[in-house]
Amino acid sequence: MTRNIQFKIYRYDPDKDAKPYMQDISVEIDATDRKLLDVMVKLKAKDDSIAFRRSCREGVCGSDALNINGKNGLACLTAIDDLPTDKPIVLRPLPGLPVIRDLIVDMTQFFKQYHSIKPYLINNDPPPERERLQSPEDREELNGLYECILCACCSTSCPSFWWNPDKFVGPAGLLAAYRFIADTRDQATSERLDDLDDPYRLFRCHTIMNCVDVCPKGLNPTKAIGKIKDMMVKRAI
Amino acid sequence: MAAKYAIRKFDAVIVGAGGAGLRAAIQLSEAGLKTAVISKVFPTRSHTVAAQGGVAASLGNSEEDHWHWHMYDTIKGSDWLGDQDAIEFMCRKANEVVVELEHYGMPFDRTDAGKIYQRPFGGHMSNFGEKPVRRSCAAADRTGHAMLHAMYQRNVKANTQFFVEWQALDLIRDAEGEVLGVTAMDMETGEIVVFHAKATIFATGGAGRIFHSSTNAFINTGDGLGMAARAGIPLEDMEFWQFHPTGVAGAGVLITEGVRGEGGILRNSQGERFMERYAPNAKDLASRDVVSRAMVTEINEGRGCGPNKDFVLLDITHLPPETIMKRLPGIHEIAVQFAGVDALKEPIPVVPTAHYQMGGIPTNYHGQVVMPQGNSQNAVVPGFYAAGECACASVHGANRLGTNSLLDLLVFGKSAGESAVEELKKSPKAHKELHQESIDKTLERLARLDEQKGGASVHDTRLTLQRTMQNHCGVFRFADKLKEGVQKILDVQKDVQRTEIKDKSKVFNTARIEALELDNLIEVAVATMVSAEARKESRGAHVRDDAPDTAANPNGRDDKNWLKHTLWFKEGNRLDYKSVKLTPLTVESIALKTRAY
């Protein structure tokens, strides 16, 4: 059983296009094409110039984030049957970041913010012979934090990040910051809080919660940001 | 075409930023060497991220364990094709590299005592094959993700210099056989740069995309193997491919063996736990090759499930829901997403799916690339190192045990890095003069692709390649199908030499990248088919109809004639063989034995 799926795809190749445009294109799919990414691979077989990133096709590498019918998500986790077929599926690059080409955005600013929170364990004690101990309860604090795949769906759906991508760390970076703050093995909690105690870096979050709405891994950056804010209040009094 | 390129000089260049590449990079960056890490994807998008069940180490956190038992299991798992020196090295190093990872911040699950949580895994036993042991160190069922991120983070701390979204094109190897770096393309601009280095480390991963049904990511196209083969380096034991027992039927997405480690059971259409018949002792936790063959046998004999009787079921409905949600949350998610099944309530449809390449670029246990030269079967190729799935140390032999891949990339990523650091510090020398011919060949290949008219479609050619491999070189192999397969894959090769892309843009041209990846896939596919056709025995993952189980050759294994490594050379499509190292470093050799679980 095959059927025809209509698309409107954002296209821009700076090598030849004066400005971006929307391409109308359709493709025949069959029952084995279950995810949007499967269909995009078919589209590319038809027109090899459509550029997008993809790798694991199972939602763990974070490559194929894009804006699907106005909402950010991963192409590989979006079921084609969940998208309305009475009108074309509209594919655009993630909003708020410069476009390199077609559906590929320049993620430099996003990673710069991630790197800015020192996303690594800081523990200045000499490493012991064996593993550092951590209770199962303390380890559980990291659940919902360490699973982030850095796809940028959250940060690029956040109005605060759109306005201040150079100053506001954004939901992904703040989730990572809290992942290290919450880790009992990390010794840099107060430096981490100092670094974030800034009108922009942390406090541009206005709990709009778009990040929670779009996270393909079901994570909750707003909650993590709230916990950081709580810790700041607590240490201030 | 105007052959324009820039040259950049580094002490070392690492190609690939998955587990092995990142582990090697930590070594080089922390030693203060000027290092470039080239990756065609952002590091945390590398396929290590998809590893689920764990990394092996005989930490003994939940019960008694010993590296010597782990060594025995790995050799038995390899069907005695693994090199025992490298296997001893890996198993002895396991605790050290896993503990290091924990110190880097990896969020391992914990035991009540606060130690790293360990679960049972296929083929890992205590006391030299007696009963399953908890050896797999795990972060839920997201171990690869947790590990890759922890190592990327450590590299951020070490200030490693990454070249992200750069496609490596070819190895630069001079007339004396010395490796002097790589040519690479900046995907964003199409710019060509020669990375001139004193040490070159390949950590490019596997080529699971040679098969039509694969657990592997799109990026797993064997780029390192293609580059090595074109530069005259042989590929070792390429006939040995692991088919993972539990890929989601239809989608191919991996379901970790950790599911069976936590108590999951495979059932046929009659609801029977059929592994009891095939592996009375280890049952569902037998080695992967054994389980995959049992599953295909069940399906072939009409006991498959579903309307077409073409899959079996992986059942965890008897496990406590809280265990599933705590230890296997990712699997629960994958089952919903890719099988449309709530694994708490219904079994998951699964089939054996191409998963891992045991063979690769031949190395010793120091991570140095070796090849026959003069009287030596294992002469070091100066300046060249390899680690992880692209390399063949050989620790997996004819069949890899689950969790030994993550261990392999840690141990040999580290040792390749250490060897390079040692070599660079030992003999501080200037960069050797570049080899123009190597560079020109790459430029010619790029020009050919840009100028090709009336050529073959990349998509169609790749599909033919993948179907040919799937049909002629699968879980069970047949002499006539292999013979036919060799001819067919050589026909595909002709199409690969005349691929055409419509898109000629310089900016992020993914059509060009896919065509260049196909140049690498075909080398791996030909090496695999030719090596498989030639090996006239059954061993590990390579099982042929004309090498059946007999009294003289139990399981069809023929040690008299075939206890040796295959070496495939691109030039002349030629095969050679070298001996298996049966002598470990400090302990006695694990003697040949018939394999049973």
Side-chain angles (χ1 to χ4, degrees):
Chain A
M1 184 200 70
T2 64
R3 60 193 173 111
N4 195 272
I5 305 277
Q6 308 280 328
F7 284 90
K8 271 191 186 302
I9 302 182
Y10 178 99
R11 300 298 308 270
Y12 175 57
D13 175 0
D15 215 17
K16 66 178 178 60
D17 302 324
K19 58 179 190 225
Y21 63 97
M22 296 302 286
Q23 175 191 21
D24 292 303
I25 185 168
S26 67
V27 67
E28 289 285 317
I29 69 161
D30 55 49
T32 61
D33 299 309
R34 298 186 50 186
K35 300 294 184 186
L36 173 59
L37 182 61
D38 299 330
V39 182
M40 288 172 70
V41 168
K42 278 214 164 143
L43 279 171
K44 188 162 176 68
K46 194 171 171 180
D47 176 353
D48 74 1
S49 73
I50 301 173
F52 54 91
R53 295 185 175 106
R54 85 281 178 272
S55 183
C56 76
R57 60 85 171 86
E58 60 190 58
V60 291
C61 80
S63 299
D64 62 348
L66 43 137
N67 187 272
I68 306 154
N69 285 344
K71 189 174 171 184
N72 291 353
L74 299 183
C76 63
L77 293 185
T78 302
I80 203 77
D81 287 344
D82 289 350
L83 298 171
T85 46
D86 54 336
K87 49 186 188 296
I89 297 168
V90 181
L91 302 182
R92 290 174 174 275
L94 290 176
L97 292 174
V99 174
I100 295 173
R101 174 177 172 176
D102 299 344
L103 301 171
I104 297 174
V105 291
D106 180 351
M107 296 184 71
T108 308
Q109 196 59 254
F110 172 79
F111 287 122
K112 213 171 170 173
Q113 289 297 357
Y114 173 68
H115 292 153
S116 80
I117 61 97
K118 298 195 175 162
Y120 42 81
L121 193 84
I122 298 177
N123 184 317
N124 295 319
D125 291 342
E129 270 303 299
R130 288 290 299 250
E131 66 264 49
R132 294 194 166 101
L133 299 180
Q134 184 173 49
S135 71
E137 296 72 36
D138 286 343
R139 164 61 184 78
E140 233 162 77
E141 292 299 313
L142 307 182
N143 287 347
L145 306 172
Y146 83 95
E147 302 93 325
C148 171
I149 58 174
L150 299 176
C151 66
C153 280
C154 59
S155 293
T156 61
S157 70
C158 172
S160 296
F161 189 77
W162 294 340
W163 310 144
N164 294 292
D166 53 336
K167 294 188 196 128
F168 174 50
V169 172
L174 290 168
L175 185 82
Y178 186 64
R179 177 249 172 275
F180 289 99
I181 290 170
D183 195 322
T184 51
R185 300 169 297 172
D186 190 273
Q187 297 174 328
T189 300
S190 87
E191 291 92 313
R192 292 183 191 280
L193 293 177
D194 289 347
D195 168 65
L196 295 173
D197 199 351
D198 171 283
Y200 283 95
R201 283 180 65 69
L202 174 73
F203 289 100
R204 281 292 115 169
C205 170
H206 300 307
T207 56
I208 299 164
M209 293 180 75
N210 283 358
C211 53
V212 183
D213 190 37
V214 297
C215 178
K217 305 307 285 183
L219 308 180
N220 190 332
T222 308
K223 193 171 150 200
I225 293 167
K227 288 191 170 174
I228 300 175
K229 287 179 179 169
D230 284 351
M231 288 178 86
M232 282 187 182
V233 173
K234 275 200 191 115
R235 74 169 189 168
I237 51 175
Chain B
M1 170 176 134
K4 276 207 281 192
Y5 58 89
I7 297 173
R8 296 197 58 175
K9 281 185 161 60
F10 291 88
D11 290 324
V13 56
I14 298 172
V15 184
L22 290 180
R23 188 62 194 80
I26 292 170
Q27 228 50 40
L28 288 151
S29 289
E30 291 185 351
L33 293 165
K34 192 181 176 196
T35 307
V37 182
I38 299 174
S39 176
K40 63 178 173 179
V41 293
F42 184 79
T44 63
R45 322 245 186 260
S46 309
H47 197 52
T48 303
V49 81
Q52 299 172 353
V55 50
S58 55
L59 292 170
N61 284 353
S62 295
E63 59 191 316
E64 190 188 357
D65 201 3
H66 198 285
W67 65 261
H68 203 180
W69 301 346
H70 183 193
M71 174 183 168
Y72 173 87
D73 296 338
T74 303
I75 292 166
K76 177 182 172 185
S78 83
D79 219 346
W80 274 268
L81 193 71
D83 286 332
Q84 299 197 9
D85 57 345
I87 294 174
E88 180 183 339
F89 181 81
M90 178 177 82
C91 297
R92 291 181 74 136
K93 279 267 189 190
N95 290 5
E96 172 192 318
V97 292
V98 167
V99 166
E100 272 170 0
L101 207 53
E102 194 281 329
H103 293 163
Y104 295 164
M106 167 131 174
F108 282 109
D109 285 4
R110 300 288 168 157
T111 65
D112 289 341
K115 297 178 182 176
I116 293 171
Y117 169 79
Q118 298 187 281
R119 62 160 62 107
F121 237 78
H124 290 279
M125 319 280 272
S126 67
N127 203 18
F128 304 101
E130 220 172 78
K131 60 175 189 353
V133 70
R134 282 169 274 180
R135 188 179 288 149
S136 168
C137 309
D141 52 1
R142 306 187 177 102
T143 311
H145 171 276
M147 179 186 278
L148 190 68
H149 280 252
M151 286 203 279
Y152 175 67
Q153 290 159 354
R154 182 72 179 196
N155 274 286
V156 171
K157 189 177 184 198
N159 213 5
T160 299
Q161 190 178 359
F162 288 101
F163 290 79
V164 173
E165 294 179 329
W166 283 65
Q167 175 75 39
L169 301 170
D170 273 302
L171 202 56
I172 300 169
R173 185 163 177 246
D174 70 10
E176 286 152 356
E178 193 165 339
V179 168
L180 305 170
V182 291
T183 322
M185 177 190 282
D186 179 356
M187 287 158 65
E188 188 177 329
T189 62
E191 182 197 3
I192 306 293
V193 170
V194 168
F195 287 78
H196 192 185
K198 298 175 195 170
T200 302
I201 301 178
F202 270 17
T204 54
R209 282 275 157 179
I210 63 168
F211 290 99
H212 187 242
S213 170
S214 170
T215 65
N216 281 206
F218 283 103
I219 57 170
N220 290 18
T221 53
D223 297 347
L225 284 84
M227 289 188 274
R230 283 193 295 275
I233 310 280
L235 302 182
E236 180 175 346
D237 291 342
M238 291 305 296
E239 61 271 44
F240 297 102
W241 281 84
Q242 176 161 86
F243 290 80
H244 195 290
T246 55
V248 173
V253 173
L254 175 70
I255 300 279
T256 175
E257 191 170 297
V259 170
R260 283 169 285 140
E262 296 288 348
I265 289 169
L266 289 164
R267 297 188 192 280
N268 60 21
S269 60
Q270 291 152 16
E272 182 203 7
R273 184 183 191 181
F274 58 86
M275 279 312 299
E276 287 178 333
R277 280 188 277 120
Y278 296 87
N281 186 25
K283 301 188 182 77
D284 298 89
L285 287 176
S287 224
R288 287 180 181 170
D289 57 334
V290 174
V291 180
S292 284
R293 277 194 295 275
M295 291 167 69
V296 173
T297 304
E298 289 300 300
I299 292 167
N300 287 347
E301 292 179 358
R303 292 185 295 278
C305 307
N308 302 318
K309 295 178 170 297
D310 55 357
F311 56 80
V312 300
L313 295 170
L314 176 60
D315 187 3
I316 51 173
T317 54
H318 55 287
L319 299 183
E322 51 288 7
T323 303
I324 297 174
M325 295 319 286
K326 185 170 178 191
R327 301 294 182 204
L328 305 165
I331 292 309
H332 183 258
E333 193 182 317
I334 284 173
V336 170
Q337 276 282 348
F338 294 96
V341 157
D342 178 357
L344 297 175
K345 299 186 188 116
E346 289 170 86
I348 310 166
V350 290
V351 284
T353 307
H355 183 56
Y356 188 87
Q357 150 202 310
M358 268 75 75
I361 302 167
T363 70
N364 57 26
Y365 67 87
H366 303 293
Q368 297 167 304
V369 176
V370 293
M371 64 185 284
Q373 199 180 18
N375 293 329
S376 172
Q377 290 187 321
N378 295 300
V380 169
V381 178
F384 194 26
Y385 307 81
E389 191 171 344
C390 76
C392 180
S394 141
V395 285
H396 310 304
N399 170 68
R400 174 176 71 78
L401 296 187
T403 69
N404 268 353
S405 57
L406 292 185
L407 180 59
D408 169 349
L409 61 81
L410 289 175
V411 169
F412 296 105
K414 183 177 181 181
S415 78
E418 278 178 339
S419 301
V421 170
E422 205 177 301
E423 190 63 32
L424 289 167
K425 298 224 154 149
K426 194 168 75 191
S427 52
K429 51 175 184 184
H431 283 79
K432 201 176 171 187
E433 196 187 331
L434 278 169
H435 187 241
Q436 194 58 42
E437 210 182 303
S438 297
I439 300 167
D440 289 345
K441 270 193 190 163
T442 309
L443 299 174
E444 279 162 27
R445 196 155 61 89
L446 292 170
R448 196 285 301 161
L449 183 59
D450 265 344
E451 287 152 19
Q452 182 74 47
K453 295 217 167 62
S457 136
V458 172
H459 181 267
D460 296 347
T461 309
R462 186 177 50 214
L463 202 57
T464 312
L465 181 156
Q466 291 167 335
R467 289 197 168 132
T468 305
M469 296 310 294
Q470 195 80 30
N471 294 336
H472 292 264
C473 209
V475 175
F476 282 106
R477 293 167 178 184
F478 303 90
D480 54 338
K481 291 287 263 182
L482 285 167
K483 213 164 176 183
E484 215 178 276
V486 170
Q487 202 42 58
K488 283 194 178 168
I489 204 70
L490 293 174
D491 287 342
V492 175
Q493 190 173 39
K494 287 178 198 146
D495 280 340
V496 174
Q497 285 157 359
R498 47 180 284 279
T499 47
E500 180 184 357
I501 51 173
K502 307 284 181 214
D503 182 6
K504 311 285 187 191
S505 172
K506 288 240 167 287
V507 179
F508 226 115
N509 187 330
T510 49
R512 180 178 289 130
I513 296 300
E514 288 186 29
L516 294 168
E517 287 174 332
L518 185 56
D519 286 353
N520 299 321
L521 274 179
I522 190 64
E523 304 297 353
V524 179
V526 172
T528 299
M529 195 73 89
V530 170
S531 304
E533 196 278 329
R535 183 176 285 270
K536 306 284 194 297
E537 66 156 352
S538 297
R539 183 186 297 271
H542 176 69
V543 165
R544 312 173 48 118
D545 65 331
D546 56 349
D549 183 25
T550 61
N553 290 334
N555 297 335
R557 196 176 85 196
D558 177 1
D559 291 324
K560 208 171 110 217
N561 296 303
W562 288 101
L563 183 58
K564 56 187 179 185
H565 295 296
T566 306
L567 293 175
W568 173 84
F569 292 81
K570 174 176 167 59
E571 198 181 359
N573 198 10
R574 174 171 70 87
L575 293 176
D576 195 358
Y577 293 90
K578 69 173 184 178
S579 33
V580 176
K581 290 185 183 158
L582 295 169
T583 313
L585 299 171
T586 67
V587 290
E588 280 194 15
S589 179
I590 306 289
L592 284 158
K593 210 168 119 180
T594 301
R595 205 162 149 250
Y597 283 95

